[in-house]
Amino acid sequence: MAMTRQNADATRALQGLEDGRSSVRLRAALAVGTAPDPCFVDKLVERCGIEPEFFVRDMLTWALTRHPVSMTLPALLREVRSERAQARSQALHTLSKIGDRRAWPAITRALLTDADDEVARSAWRTAVVLVPEGEKSGVAAVLATQLGRGERETQLSLSRALVALGEVVVPALRAAMTAPDRRVRTHALATERLLRDPDAGFEFAIEEAKRVVALGGSGQEGR
């Protein structure tokens, strides 16, 4: 009788994840995370790739973190190679929450430079969490190639990732400060300012960097 009830509850939860109402999907994801079962993993990963509501996606990720890593890791590593941008982005986000460094080899240059901003931003955040100490310089070099990319939110994400890597980013930032592209120079200068003074705030740092670049400086004068 107990097993029959459990099966019925699992079936109801799985159906709830596909309900047309976001409130029902949210409750279903909460229920799945509260009572983890290996039978849920594939559906949770699949749903992450297509779920339109942010709060539901966040709950799906939480539910996945409640399951054994031995079950979730293989499915998520497959998903980061998906052709669907949201699937890649959400799988990366979930990997960052799980924090298992066995996932590190999957964080490729292709993901760190993905054409989709959401995927790239998720990859940057995940790389910072998973990167081994000895590979931080390499990651910094790749991330520096993305300086000047996108709108303010994307630039802020990249700056945060670079700052989180620490002093190893300085050579890459200094090189970027002499780049031909003004946006790259400005972003690099603002990021270094944040590295030196995390309390400065991105808006202040970027506006200060714009002034320096407009006056023909690189930010390295006198160093």
Side-chain angles (χ1 to χ4, degrees):
M1 179 69 80
M3 184 63 70
T4 301
R5 187 180 301 112
Q6 287 176 350
N7 290 340
D9 290 343
T11 300
R12 189 159 48 249
L14 289 170
Q15 290 173 341
L17 292 174
E18 298 182 341
D19 195 275
R21 295 160 293 179
S22 61
S23 60
V24 175
R25 298 196 303 276
L26 185 67
R27 287 196 299 272
L30 175 61
V32 168
T34 302
D37 188 301
C39 74
F40 294 135
V41 170
D42 286 343
K43 176 56 70 174
L44 288 170
V45 172
E46 175 191 332
R47 189 67 210 176
C48 280
I50 58 175
E51 171 56 50
E53 297 293 332
F54 170 79
F55 291 110
V56 180
R57 290 199 303 273
D58 219 35
M59 189 65 77
L60 291 167
T61 283
W62 171 78
L64 280 165
T65 67
R66 298 269 297 159
H67 288 76
V69 176
S70 60
M71 298 292 299
T72 58
L73 198 58
L76 291 168
L77 293 179
R78 288 193 299 271
E79 199 74 350
V80 300
R81 299 191 296 271
S82 171
E83 293 183 1
R84 188 183 300 112
Q86 181 177 309
R88 298 196 302 277
S89 176
Q90 199 64 26
L92 286 163
H93 174 65
T94 306
L95 288 171
S96 76
K97 295 299 183 184
I98 292 172
D100 192 306
R101 288 191 168 177
R102 286 175 295 178
W104 168 244
I107 312 305
T108 61
R109 185 187 185 97
L111 286 172
L112 293 171
T113 60
D114 197 283
D116 186 278
D117 283 348
E118 284 299 320
V119 176
R121 288 169 58 192
S122 293
W124 302 338
R125 290 191 295 267
T126 307
V128 167
V129 172
L130 301 181
V131 61
E133 191 66 34
E135 297 191 41
K136 286 186 176 181
S137 294
V139 171
V142 175
L143 294 190
T145 68
Q146 304 301 292
L147 287 163
R149 170 180 175 165
E151 300 303 321
R152 193 58 54 91
E153 189 176 7
T154 297
Q155 293 191 7
L156 174 58
S157 291
L158 181 58
S159 289
R160 284 175 171 166
L162 285 162
V163 168
L165 289 172
E167 290 294 321
V168 298
V169 306
V170 172
L173 291 177
R174 295 280 172 84
M177 287 177 198
T178 62
D181 190 320
R182 175 178 289 201
R183 281 171 59 89
V184 173
R185 297 199 305 275
T186 301
H187 194 185
L189 184 56
T191 303
E192 196 203 30
R193 173 60 191 267
L194 288 176
L195 180 65
R196 301 299 178 203
D197 182 10
D199 296 327
F202 185 71
E203 291 299 326
F204 175 82
I206 204 80
E207 291 305 321
E208 182 181 74
K210 284 180 179 179
R211 287 193 293 273
V212 171
V213 171
L215 292 171
S218 67
Q220 299 190 55
E221 295 77 11
R223 291 180 179 170

